[in-house]
Amino acid sequence: MSRPTIIINELDAERIDRLLEKPEFASLPVADALNEELDRAQMCTPESMPKDVVTMNSQVTFRDLSTGETRTRTLVYPANMTDSSTQLSVLAPVGAALLGLRTGDTIHWELPGGTAAHLEVLELLYQPEAAGEYLR
């Protein structure tokens, strides 16, 4: 699996850690992979987050390099998920794969059922940290 360097802000990492400690999420297939991503991530403060990194509540356009399909979604926590046509949960395999990537990065990511996704981040349309929104 190809894993580019990822950057996660400390507040997002803490919130995701707490989420993954809950029994209803800890047993999900994506939980172990997301924990591994948090362990290997470069951490930074929200204020020092580079403006081209996918963070929580970012709106990102990405391409599935296997199918050529392009999608734009806002990366959200499961509790905030209201519309799968515009949002993507960080606990969905593709959501977990996108977290911490920079514009232009690609990643191979294992999906449930033994398949894999090959994703490319095309554009960051909105990032809370770049907008000065540091959800504390």
Side-chain angles (χ1 to χ4, degrees), residues 98-118:
L98 292 171
L99 181 67
L101 295 180
R102 295 182 102 129
T103 302
D105 280 349
T106 61
I107 191 168
H108 280 91
W109 191 261
E110 296 296 320
L111 300 175
T115 60
H118 188 193

Side-chain angles (χ1 to χ4, degrees), residues 16-101:
I16 293 168
D17 270 340
R18 283 197 302 270
L19 201 59
L20 293 173
E21 289 172 359
K22 295 182 178 185
E24 65 267 32
F25 300 124
S27 61
L28 292 175
V30 74
D32 288 340
L34 192 50
N35 270 316
E36 288 175 19
E37 290 295 272
L38 291 175
D39 289 344
R40 73 179 194 87
Q42 175 187 332
M43 296 291 169
C44 70
T45 64
E47 295 81 3
S48 64
M49 177 61 68
K51 297 180 181 346
D52 63 344
V53 174
V54 179
T55 63
M56 292 306 302
N57 301 303
S58 289
Q59 185 180 38
V60 58
T61 300
F62 61 97
R63 177 183 299 130
D64 181 326
L65 295 173
S66 301
T67 65
E69 185 175 353
T70 299
R71 295 186 182 134
T72 299
R73 299 286 186 275
T74 300
L75 189 62
V76 298
Y77 293 101
N80 299 334
M81 183 79 183
T82 58
D83 181 0
S84 63
S85 70
T86 62
Q87 296 174 316
L88 183 61
S89 170
V90 70
L91 292 184
V94 170
L98 292 171
L99 181 67
L101 295 180

